[in-house]
C-alpha cells in the first residue's frame, strides 16, 4: 500500500499566508502559521476526528456555518478566520457550556497547571459565569481500575478515553453509559478497566477527570522537570519522558515517535518506573564474605578487585551473559574484556540457541529489513511465532492501526492463540516447538515445492490453512512484512530466509522482515558482538559457547567465572534446574543487578549495583535498526556508579584497560568497531534515533550470503497420545519490575494452565481449578484457564513467573506433559 | 471512601445521576469478550442472535436486535443477559452496555415484565398526559410485575393522552381509565379494547370515502 | 383538492395484505419503473419536485442523484424512526399500507442503484413493525424483493430494523450509527451519507412518506405530480394535527392549503370557548407561530417566510388554557432527555436551559434569566454537531421572544407566591471583552 505523499498547499488564516501539508486538518495546519486553534476532543492519534467538543469552530470563507477546524482539511486558496467576533462568540459559548458542570476545584486538582481546560478557559473563555444553578456533585474520585481514578464531575465528555479503548487498543472495555447530560464514562457492570494500555487514557484526558493513582498529588507542574529517554523494559523501546521531582521519577509519559511507538505506552512502560525507587534496589556493591558465606556490602575498591581477580584468574574459562537492558556500550565493553582474556563464551540470546553468523548476516541485510511504520502501510503482515502484546507491547497497537485504518491484511501463525486473531484475515496454529516444520512448510508452499503436506503433518498445521496463507502472502499485494519472534529458535531461520526470497521481500522498500527479540536491546547486543559466534559488526570471531553450553559447563564445574550483566538466567531461561546448578557450580559469579534475586543471594561472589534505565547513558538498537539514546534523567542512588565505568574498571584491574574516560568515549569505540554504525554520533542520534540502514555507512553492513539456504530436516511435533503438548509464552507481566512496582503488583503474572474445554473435561477440572503439570519428575502448579480457542491436546504455561515458572519444565526437547488435578 | 462521602451535605443538591457515584469493583476481572467455553448461552437466544447477525453486512448491526432478544428472555438487560449476547456476538459486554444504556427501551435495572409507557410529551401533556401518568402509577401501586414509566412522544398524538401497554397503543385516556387499564393487564385481558389505536379509523374524512 | 394519494381508501380492510394491495393496482408502478432505465426513474423523481417529508425538506430526486454511480455496495435506508413530537403520519401509513412503502423503496433503490435496503423503525412502533415484517415476507414470496426482481436484473434485499427508543436516531447519521449497532450518535458531516453512509457505502436515506409517494409519482409521471401543490412545495402532504383541537389526527392535504382551513376546517379548531394561543407548524422543533399566521398557506416557503418551518408536517395547537412556560419546560426537558451527549452546546445547553426554566417554575427567577435563556439558545444555534440542539433552541427562542410578557408575569406571580416579593433592580452583567 503506497504511503500518502506529502504535498503542500497554501491557504490564508487570519490574514497570513500559510503553507501546510495537504490533507492535514485546519487545527494542525494553523500551527504552520503559528496560530493556535483550541481543541479538546481532537487528537489525531485517535483516528478520524469526531467534532464533538465544538471548541475549534472557525470561519471559512464561502461556508455559511462555522466549521470545526479539527475536521476541515486545509485546501489551496482557503481563507480562514479564527479571530472574528462570530468565532469568538462561539468559542466563549463552548467554554461557558463546558464549565456549566465542571467544578472549579482547580486548586485541589491534580491536573492544575497542566490542564488544557484551564488554558483554554483563560485563552478563549469569557472570563465570567452566568450560571447560578447548583453544579452537580458526585463522589470523587472513584476507582476505575487499580491504576486509574475517575472524577466524573470534572469530565467534559470529550470521548478521548473511550475512543482510545474502542478504536486504538480495541479492548472495548471503557464505554460511555447513558445519554446526553447523563452520559458518563464507565465499564460493564462495575468491572475494572484493566487492559495492557489503559494508562494512556490518563495522558489523553484534557481535564483532571482521569488521574494516575500512582501520581496523584505527588507533584505540581512547577515542581517537576521532564526528561526524555527510552524505555528498556521490552524490545519496543518506546520513547518516554520521565517526570522528575527531586531526583525521583514520579511519572512516565509518552514522547511520541512515529518511527517507534506512535505515541502510546503500555502500562508496564508507564508504571514500572516505580521499580527504580524500590526499597529492594541494590545501591552499593555486595561481596560474599568467605567466612560467613553471606553477601555483604563492600567498598567499590574491594568489589572491583574481587571481580577483576576472578576474571584474571579464570582467563579463558570466563563466560559472560548480558540481559536485555544492557546498553550497546556496556555490552561492547563486556565482550571486549571476555575476548581479551581469551574466551569467546558470550551470549545475549536469553538462553535461546545460537544462530550461525552466516544466517545472521543474511537476516541483517538492510534491504530485507522492514521498518516499524512499514507495518502500518503493508499490504500484508504475517505474525510468525510472536504475540506482540506479550513480546513487544506497543507493536500490538501499530498492527491494529494498520488493519483498522489502512486495511492491512493480517495473518497470524502461532502455536498459542493470539490477541490479534480477531483482527486477522486468517490465523492458523501449529504445534508448540514445531516452528521449523511450519516455516519449512510455508516456504515450500510459497515456493511451489513438494512435501508441503508432510511438513504440515510434522507441524500439526492444517495444510489448507497453510495453502491459504501462502496464497495471501503471494497474491495479497507485494508489500509483505513478516514479524517473527526470536523465540521460534534458530532452526527455522534458513526456511524463513527462503520464504523471504520467494516473496521478494528484499526488493521492495515497504516489505521485509522484523525480528521481535527477547530482551530490550537484544539486537544492539548482537550487533556489538555479545555472542559466541560473531564479533562486533557481526564479523567472524573465534567461536565460543552459547548460554546453554555455558550452563552445562558451569554445572559440571568446568567454568571458573560467570559474569552476569543484567541477566537472570535462573528465572528467565529454559531449564531452571540446570541454571541453578550452573550458578552453584561456577567458582565465581559476578553480577550487575538492580534487585537481588534468590539465585544471586545464594551464589553471587560480587554483585555490582546496576543503574536503572532512568539513570543510564548510552545507546540501544530498536527492532528495525533504529539506534536510540538513553539519557540520564535522575542521579544514581546510593553509591551506584555508571556501569560502563564499572566494566572499564574491572577490565583495567584485570589488565585490559579499555582506555575510556567518559560514556561518549565508549560510544565512539562502539561506532568504530561496528562498520555499519560508521561515523554515528550521539548528536546525530538525537531525540528520535536514527536507523543505521538509512545512513551511508549501511553499505558497510556485512555481505549477506546468497540463498537458497539449507533448510534442514525438521523434527515432527510429538503426538500427545493422552498427554498434552507443552507450549510456553512469556507474559508482559512476568517480570521483577512488575512485582516490585506497587502500582503494578496486582498484574503480576500467576501461573495458569491454558487448556481447551475438551481437555478440561477429559482431565476433570473446571475453570479456576488447580492442576499439576509435570514432565518427568519435575512439575509446576497452575490454576486452570479454560479457553475455547486453545487447540485440544496442548497446554500453555507462562515462563519467568516468580514462582512455578514453566522454565522448570523446559529441560530438554519440546515435549509432552501430564496434567492432573492438584 | 464510600461511606464517609455519602453523608456529606453538599452532595444533597444538584441533579443525581445513577452510576456517576459508582466505583468499579476491584475484585472483579476485566470484562473481556466472554469465552464460549465458560459462558453458557440458551440455545434459543443464540439462534435468535445468530439469525439477526446474518441479516447485516456487518454483524455488529445486530446489537439492538440481540439486546431486544436478551431482554425478552431475561426481563431486563441484566449483566447475564448482556454477557450472553456479547458471547454470541464476540463483543465485549461493555460494547453492548454502551448501546443498551443509550436507548430508552432497554432496561438496565430490574423491572416488571408488563410495560406501560405513558406519554408525557407536548401533545399528550396538553390533554392531561402528566396527570394520566400519575393515575396509572397510583393504580399500579407497587406491583413488581408492572413497569410503569413516563415516556417521550410515542407517535400517537391523535389519541392523546395515550399509553403504550406492552406495545399496544391505547387512548385517548381519562384518569378514570387507569384502574381499568391496570386491571385488564393484571387479569391478562385485552387492555381497553375500545381505545386501542389498532382499531381506529383514519381522521381524514376524504380517506374514508369508499373504505 | 386533488384526490387522496397516500390516504386513498387507507382504511380498506386487508390493505396491509399483498392480495388487496395488488387488487387495487399495487406493485404495478414497480413493474412499470423496472421497465424504465434507472435514469428515467430518477428523472421522474427530479421532475416531481418532491421534497423530503421527514423534516428537512430536501429535494428527493436531487438526493438520489448525489449517489455516485458505479458498482460499489450502495444502500437505501428508510427512516421510519418517526419521533418528532406531534408527528404520527408514518405510523398510520406503515400500519395500514405497508406494501406502498415497500413498492416505493424498491423503485427508489432501483433509481439509486442500491441493492441493500433497510427500514429503520422506531422500537415503540411494535404493531407497525409486525405489519411490515408480514408484508416483507409477502413481497419476498411474490418476487418483488430478492434476486432479479421481475426479470429486470435489479436485485434488492430489504430488512426491517427495530430501534429501541431514541429520538436522535431520526437524525440520519445518528440512524446510521444505530443501524450499524452503535450508540445512535450523529456523525460529523461531511462526509455526507450519499458518499459515505451505512458501512461507509453511498447511502440514500428517505422518510417513509417520501418513499411511499414514489409509486404515485411513477403512476402520474413526475411532471404531473409537480402540478399538485404550490411553487417549491409540490404534491400532497400528510399532516398530523394534535394538541388542543377537536379532531386530532392525520390528514392528507395539497400543499399550500391555508393553515386556518387545516386547523379549523379539518381538525375543528380548539374546544368551543377556547382560542389558539400559538401553534407549532412543523413538529415541536419548529418556532411557534401565533394566530395571526393562520392565514398563511401551509407550504415550505410560506412557513419559512413566517419565520418557522414546515418540518415533518406536524401541527401542534396550544390554546389559551395553557401556560407558555409549562410548554417551554416540557419541550426543554424532552430535548435534554434526547440529546445524545456527543457535542457540548447541545448536551450542556439543553441541560442548563431546563435548570433555568425549572427555577422560573419554582419562583426563584428574575426577568434577567429570560435574557440568559435567550442568549443560551443563541449560543446553541448553529454551533452543534447536528440539528437537535437547534431543535430546542429555535422554538424556545421564539416562545421567549413572542411571549416575553407572559414569561415575566409568570415569574412575578411565582415569586409572589413563593414570598420572594418585588423583583430587585437588575444589575447588568458585564462581559469582559464582549461588545456592549
Amino acid at each position: 500500500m503506497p504511503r500518502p505523499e506529502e504535498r503542500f498547499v497554501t491557504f490564508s488564516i487570519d490574514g497570513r499566508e500559510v503553507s501546510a501539508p495537504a490533507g492535514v486538518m485546519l487545527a494542525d495546519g494553523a500551527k504552520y502559521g503559528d496560530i493556535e486553534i483550541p481543541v479538546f476532543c481532537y487528537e489525531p492519534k485517535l483516528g478520524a476526528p469526531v467534532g464533538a467538543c465544538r471548541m475549534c469552530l472557525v470561519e471559512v470563507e464561502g461556508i455559511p456555518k462555522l466549521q470545526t477546524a479539527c475536521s476541515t482539511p486545509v485546501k489551496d486558496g482557503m481563507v480562514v478566520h479564527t479571530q472574528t467576533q462570530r468565532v469568538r462568540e462561539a468559542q466563549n459559548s463552548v467554554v461557558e457550556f463546558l464549565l456549566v458542570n465542571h467544578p472549579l476545584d482547580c486548586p485541589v486538582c491534580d491536573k492544575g497547571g497542566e490542564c488544557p481546560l484551564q488554558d483554554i478557559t483563560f485563552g478563549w473563555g469569557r472570563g465570567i459565569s452566568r450560571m447560578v444553578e447548583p453544579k452537580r456533585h458526585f463522589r470523587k474520585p472513584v476507582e476505575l481500575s487499580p491504576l486509574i481514578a475517575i472524577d466524573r464531575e470534572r469530565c467534559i465528555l470529550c470521548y478521548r478515553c473511550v475512543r482510545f479503548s474502542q478504536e486504538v487498543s480495541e479492548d472495548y472495555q471503557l464505554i460511555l453509559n447513558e445519554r446526553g447530560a447523563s452520559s458518563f464514562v464507565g465499564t460493564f457492570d462495575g468491572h475494572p478497566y484493566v487492559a495492557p494500555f489503559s494508562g494512556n487514557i490518563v495522558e489523553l484526558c484534557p481535564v483532571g477527570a482521569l488521574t494516575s493513582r500512582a501520581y496523584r498529588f505527588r507533584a505540581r507542574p512547577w515542581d517537576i522537570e521532564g526528561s526524555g529517554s527510552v524505555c528498556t523494559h521490552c524490545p519496543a523501546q518506546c520513547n518516554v519522558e520521565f517526570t522528575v521531582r527531586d531526583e525521583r521519577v514520579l511519572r512516565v509519559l509518552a514522547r511520541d515517535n512515529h518511527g517507534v511507538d506512535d505515541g502510546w505506552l503500555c502500562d508496564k512502560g508507564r508504571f514500572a518506573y516505580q521499580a527504580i525507587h524500590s526499597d529492594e534496589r541494590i545501591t552499593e556493591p555486595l561481596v560474599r564474605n568467605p567466612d560467613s558465606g553471606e553477601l555483604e556490602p563492600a567498598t567499590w575498591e574491594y568489589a572491583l578487585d574481587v571481580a577483576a581477580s576472578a576474571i584474571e584468574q579464570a582467563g579463558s574459562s570466563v563466560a559472560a551473559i548480558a540481559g536485555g537492558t544492557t546498553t550497546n556500550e556496556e555490552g561492547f565493553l563486556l565482550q571486549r574484556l571476555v575476548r581479551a582474556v581469551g574466551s569467546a563464551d558470550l551470549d545475549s540470546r536469553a538462553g535461546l540457541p545460537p544462530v550461525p553468523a552466516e544466517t545472521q548476516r543474511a537476516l541483517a541485510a538492510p534491504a530485507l529489513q522492514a521498518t516499524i511504520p512499514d507495518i502500518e502501510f503493508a499490504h500484508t503482515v504475517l505474525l510468525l511465532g510472536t504475540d506482540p502484546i506479550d513480546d513487544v507491547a506497543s507493536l500490538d497497537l501499530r498492527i491494529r492501526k494498520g488493519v483498522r485504518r489502512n486495511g492491512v491484511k493480517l495473518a497470524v501463525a502461532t502455536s498459542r492463540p493470539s490477541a490479534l486473531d480477531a483482527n486477522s484475515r486468517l490465523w492458523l496454529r501449529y504445534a508448540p516447538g514445531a516452528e521449523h516444520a511450519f516455516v519449512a512448510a510455508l516456504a515450500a508452499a510459497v515456493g511451489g515445492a513438494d512435501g508441503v503436506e508432510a511438513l504440515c503433518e510434522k507441524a500439526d498445521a492444517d495444510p489448507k490453512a497453510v495453502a491459504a496463507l501462502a496464497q495471501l502472502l503471494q497474491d495479497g499485494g507485494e508489500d509483505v512484512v513478516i514479524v517473527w519472534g526470536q523465540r521460534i529458535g534458530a532452526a527455522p531461520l534458513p526456511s524463513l530466509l527462503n520464504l523471504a526470497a520467494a516473496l521478494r521481500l528484499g526488493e521492495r522498500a515497504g516489505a521485509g522482515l522484523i525480528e521481535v527479540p527477547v530482551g530490550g536491546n537484544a539486537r544492539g547486543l548482537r550487533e556489538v558482538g555479545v555472542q559466541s559466534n560473531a564479533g562486533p559488526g557481526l564479523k567472524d570471531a573465534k567461536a565460543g559457547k552459547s548460554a546453554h553450553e555455558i550452563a552445562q559447563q558451569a554445572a559440571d564445574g568446568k567454568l571458573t567465572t560467570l559474569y552476569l550483566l543484567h541477566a537472570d538466567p535462573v528465572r528467565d531461561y529454559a531449564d531452571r534446574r540446570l541454571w541453578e546448578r550452573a550458578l552453584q557450580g561456577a567458582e565465581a559469579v559476578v553480577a550487575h543487578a538492580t534487585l537481588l534475586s534468590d539465585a544471586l543471594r545464594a551464589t553471587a561472589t560480587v554483585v555490582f549495583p546496576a543503574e536503572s534505565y532512568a539513570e543510564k547513558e548510552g545507546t540501544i538498537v530498536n527492532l528495525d535498526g533504529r539506534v536510540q539514546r538513553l539519557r540520564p534523567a535522575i542521579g544514581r542512588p546510593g553509591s551506584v556508579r555508571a556501569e560502563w565505568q564499572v566494566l572499564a574498571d574491572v577490565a583495567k584491574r584485570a589488565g585490559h584497560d579499555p582506555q575510556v574516560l567518559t560514556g561518549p568515549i565508549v560510544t565512539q569505540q562502539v561506532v568504530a568497531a561496528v562498520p555499519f554504525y560508521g561515523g554515528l554520533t550521539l548528536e546525530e542520534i538525537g531525540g528520535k534515533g536514527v536507523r543505521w540502514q538509512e545512513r551511508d555507512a549501511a553499505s558497510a553492513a556485512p555481505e549477506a550470503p546468497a540463498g537458497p539456504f539449507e533448510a534442514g530436516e525438521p523434527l515432527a511435533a510429538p503426538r500427545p497420545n493422552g498427554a498434552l503438548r507443552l507450549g510456553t509464552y512469556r507474559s508482559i507481566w512476568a517480570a521483577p519490575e512488575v512485582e516490585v512496582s506497587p502500582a503494578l503488583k496486582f498484574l503480576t503474572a500467576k501461573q495458569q494452565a491454558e487448556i481447551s474445554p475438551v481437555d478440561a473435561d477429559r482431565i476433570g477440572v473446571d475453570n479456576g481449578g488447580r492442576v499439576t503439570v509435570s514432565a518427568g519428575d519435575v512439575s509446576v502448579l497452575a490454576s486452570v484457564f479454560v479457553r475455547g480457542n486453545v487447540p485440544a491436546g496442548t497446554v500453555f504455561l507462562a515462563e519467568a513467573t516468580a514462582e512455578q515458572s514453566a522454565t522448570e519444565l523446559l529441560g530438554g526437547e519440546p515435549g509432552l506433559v501430564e496434567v492432573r488435578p492438584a | 471512601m464510600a461511606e464517609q462521602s455519602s453523608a456529606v451535605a453538599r452532595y444533597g443538591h444538584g441533579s443525581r445521576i445513577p452510576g456517576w457515584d459508582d466505583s468499579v469493583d476491584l475484585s472483579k476481572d476485566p470484562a473481556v469478550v466472554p469465552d464460549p467455553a465458560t459462558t453458557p448461552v440458551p440455545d434459543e437466544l443464540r439462534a435468535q442472535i445468530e439469525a439477526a447477525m446474518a441479516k447485516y453486512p456487518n454483524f455488529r448491526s445486530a446489537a439492538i436486535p440481540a439486546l431486544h432478544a436478551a431482554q425478552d428472555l431475561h426481563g431486563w438487560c441484566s449483566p447475564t443477559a448482556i454477557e450472553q449476547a456479547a458471547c454470541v456476538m464476540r463483543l465485549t459486554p461493555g460494547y453492548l452496555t454502551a448501546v443498551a444504556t443509550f436507548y430508552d427501551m432497554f432496561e438496565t435495572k430490574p423491572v416488571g415484565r408488563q410495560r406501560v409507557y405513558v406519554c408525557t410529551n407536548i401533545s399528550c401533556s396538553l390533554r392531561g398526559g402528566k396527570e394520566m401518568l400519575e393515575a396509572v402509577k397510583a393504580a399500579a401501586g407497587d406491583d413488581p410485575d408492572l413497569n410503569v414509566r413516563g415516556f417521550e412522544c410515542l407517535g400517537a398524538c391523535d389519541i392523546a393522552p395515550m399509553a403504550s401497554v406492552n406495545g399496544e397503543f391505547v387512548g385517548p385516556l381519562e384518569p378514570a381509565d387507569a384502574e381499568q387499564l391496570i386491571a385488564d393487564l393484571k387479569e391478562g385481558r385485552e387492555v381497553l379494547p375500545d381505545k386501542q389505536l389498532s382499531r381506529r379509523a383514519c381522521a381524514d374524512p376524504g380517506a374514508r370515502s369508499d373504505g | 383538492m386533488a384526490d387522496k394519494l397516500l390516504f386513498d381508501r387507507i382504511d380498506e380492510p386487508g390493505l396491509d395484505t399483498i392480495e388487496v394491495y395488488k387488487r387495487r393496482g399495487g406493485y404495478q408502478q414497480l413493474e412499470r419503473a423496472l421497465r424504465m432505465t434507472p435514469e428515467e426513474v430518477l428523472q421522474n423523481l427530479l421532475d416531481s419536485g418532491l421534497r423530503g417529508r421527514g423534516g428537512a425538506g430536501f429535494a428527493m430526486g436531487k438526493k438520489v442523484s448525489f449517489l455516485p454511480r458505479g458498482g460499489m455496495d450502495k444502500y437505501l435506508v428508510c427512516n421510519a424512526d418517526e419521533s418528532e413530537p406531534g408527528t404520527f403520519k408514518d405510523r398510520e401509513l406503515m400500519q395500514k399500507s405497508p406494501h406502498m412503502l415497500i413498492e416505493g423503496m424498491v423503485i427508489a433503490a432501483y433509481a439509486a442503484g442500491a441493492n441493500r435496503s433497510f427500514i429503520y423503525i422506531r422500537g415503540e412502533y411494535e404493531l407497525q413493525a409486525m405489519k411490515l415484517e408480514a408484508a416483507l415476507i409477502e413481497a419476498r414470496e411474490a418476487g418483488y424483493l430478492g434476486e432479479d426482481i421481475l426479470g429486470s436484473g435489479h436485485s434488492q434485499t430489504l430488512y426491517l430494523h427495530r430501534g429501541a427508543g431514541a429520538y436522535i436516531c431520526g437524525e440520519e447519521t445518528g440512524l446510521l450509527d444505530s443501524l450499524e449497532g452503535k450508540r445512535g450518535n450523529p456523525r460529523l458531516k461531511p462526509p455526507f451519507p450519499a458518499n459515505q453512509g451505512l458501512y461507509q457505502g453511498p447511502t440514500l436515506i428517505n422518510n417513509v412518506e417520501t418513499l411511499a409517494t414514489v409509486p404515485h409519482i411513477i403512476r402520474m409521471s413526475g411532471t404531473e405530480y409537480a402540478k399538485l401543490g404550490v411553487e417549491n412545495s409540490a404534491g400532497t402532504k400528510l399532516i398530523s394535527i394534535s394538541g388542543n383541537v377537536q379532531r386530532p389526527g392525520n390528514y392528507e392535504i395539497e400543499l399550500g392549503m391555508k393553515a386556518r382551513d387545516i386547523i379549523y376546517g379539518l381538525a375543528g379548531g380548539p374546544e368551543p370557548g377556547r382560542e389558539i394561543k400559538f401553534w407549532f407548524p412543523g413538529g415541536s422543533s419548529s418556532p411557534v407561530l401565533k394566530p395571526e399566521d393562520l392565514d398563511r398557506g401551509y407550504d415550505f416557503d410560506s412557513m419559512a417566510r413566517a419565520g418557522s418551518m414546515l418540518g415533518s408536517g406536524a401541527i401542534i395547537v396550544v390554546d389559551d388554557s395553557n401556560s407558555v412556560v409549562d410548554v417551554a419546560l416540557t419541550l426543554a426537558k424532552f430535548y435534554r432527555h434526547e440529546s445524545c451527549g456527543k457535542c457540548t452546546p447541545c448536551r450542556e445547553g439543553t441541560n442548563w436551559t431546563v435548570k433555568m426554566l425549572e427555577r422560573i417554575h419554582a419562583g426563584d427567577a428574575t426577568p434577567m434569566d429570560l435574557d440568559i435563556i435567550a442568549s443560551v439558545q443563541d449560543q446553541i444555534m448553529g454551533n452543534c454537531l447536528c440539528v437537535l440542539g437547534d431543535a430546542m433552541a429555535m422554538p424556545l427562542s421564539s416562545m421567549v421572544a413572542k411571549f416575553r410578557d407572559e414569561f415575566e408575569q409568570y415569574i412575578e406571580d411565582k415569586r409572589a407566591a413563593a414570598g420572594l416579593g418585588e423583583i430587585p433592580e437588575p444589575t447588568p452583567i458585564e462581559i469582559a471583552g464582549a461588545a456592549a
Side-chain angles (χ1 to χ4, degrees), chain A residues 418-434:
Chain A
S418 157
L420 285 161
D421 283 351
N423 300 59
S424 65
R425 284 288 167 99
L426 81 91
W427 54 261
L428 57 84
R429 300 280 101 91
Y430 51 79

Side-chain angles (χ1 to χ4, degrees), chain A residues 51-54 57 71 93 96-98 100-101 126 128 130-134 156-157 159 176 178-180, chain C residues 165-166 183 188 337-345 347-348 351-352 355 359 375 379 383-385 431:
Chain A
C53 74
R54 316 305 288 174
L57 288 168
S71 66
S93 301
E96 184 176 32
F97 282 137
L98 286 172
V100 162
N101 277 312
R126 201 175 269 143
I128 61 132
R130 298 179 296 174
M131 154 104 177
V132 296
E133 274 49 52
I156 59 166
L157 292 168
Y159 280 66
L176 221 55
E178 303 298 331
R179 193 169 74 192
Chain C
R183 294 159 64 84
L188 203 56
H337 180 73
E338 299 295 348
S339 169
C340 81
K342 182 169 178 176
C343 82
T344 310
R347 179 185 69 237
E348 302 299 342
N351 181 33
W352 188 7
K355 286 184 175 179
R359 200 153 41 77
S375 162
Q379 294 190 164
N383 288 340
C384 298
L385 182 74
I431 297 172

Side-chain angles (χ1 to χ4, degrees), chain A residues 132-153:
Chain A
V132 296
E133 274 49 52
K135 291 197 183 204
R136 301 190 296 202
H137 287 294
F138 300 98
R139 220 160 70 207
K140 58 187 249 177
V142 295
E143 287 150 331
L144 187 64
S145 83
L147 296 170
I148 303 164
I150 184 165
D151 182 325
R152 294 200 171 100
E153 274 177 21

Side-chain angles (χ1 to χ4, degrees), chain A residues 324-411:
Chain A
T325 57
T326 309
T327 63
N328 293 340
E329 287 71 13
E330 293 158 357
F332 178 76
L333 290 174
L334 177 70
Q335 63 87 29
R336 220 173 127 189
L337 170 61
V338 170
R339 290 198 158 99
V341 298
S343 170
D345 299 347
L346 279 158
D347 209 339
S348 58
R349 290 184 170 272
L352 293 161
V355 176
E358 285 285 287
T359 312
Q360 287 197 51
R361 291 195 275 262
L363 286 166
L368 205 51
Q369 180 64 57
T371 68
I372 290 172
D374 284 344
I375 292 172
E376 222 178 282
F377 299 101
H379 290 109
T380 311
V381 170
L382 168 63
L383 274 181
L384 175 60
T386 179
D387 195 349
I389 198 61
D390 285 319
D391 298 339
V392 54
S394 67
L395 216 59
D396 174 88
L397 298 184
R398 187 70 73 122
I399 293 168
R400 290 174 191 275
K401 182 183 178 190
V403 172
R404 189 179 55 254
R405 292 205 208 165
N406 301 332
V408 171
K409 296 180 280 289
L410 175 68

Side-chain angles (χ1 to χ4, degrees), chain A residues 284-285 298-305 608-609 639-641 646 653:
Chain A
E284 57 193 341
T299 64
W300 273 100
E301 290 301 305
Y302 179 57
L304 288 167
D305 278 342
F608 292 118
S639 68
V640 178
R641 289 185 183 175
V646 176
R653 281 164 207 246

Side-chain angles (χ1 to χ4, degrees), chain B residues 55-56 60-61 68 95 98 103-105 115 121-123 127 130 153 155-156 158 200 202 204 207 210, chain C residues 4 7 9 11 88 91 96 122 126 161 163-165 178-179 181-183 199 242-243 245 252 330 334 337:
Chain B
K55 272 183 13 183
Y56 304 94
R60 284 189 182 80
S61 285
H68 275 305
Y95 181 102
Y103 298 95
D104 287 339
M105 291 177 74
R115 288 174 291 139
N121 206 294
I122 293 188
S123 294
R127 303 177 79 106
K130 285 170 188 168
C153 184
D158 43 350
R200 198 176 166 92
C202 182
D204 191 339
D210 46 345
Chain C
K4 303 287 169 190
F7 269 1
R9 293 163 290 155
D11 282 322
F88 44 89
R91 184 205 74 210
K96 296 180 175 174
R122 61 179 304 191
E126 298 180 39
H161 183 94
S178 179
L179 184 47
K182 306 171 189 163
R183 294 159 64 84
Y199 311 120
S242 64
V245 290
E252 181 170 12
T330 303
F334 167 68
H337 180 73

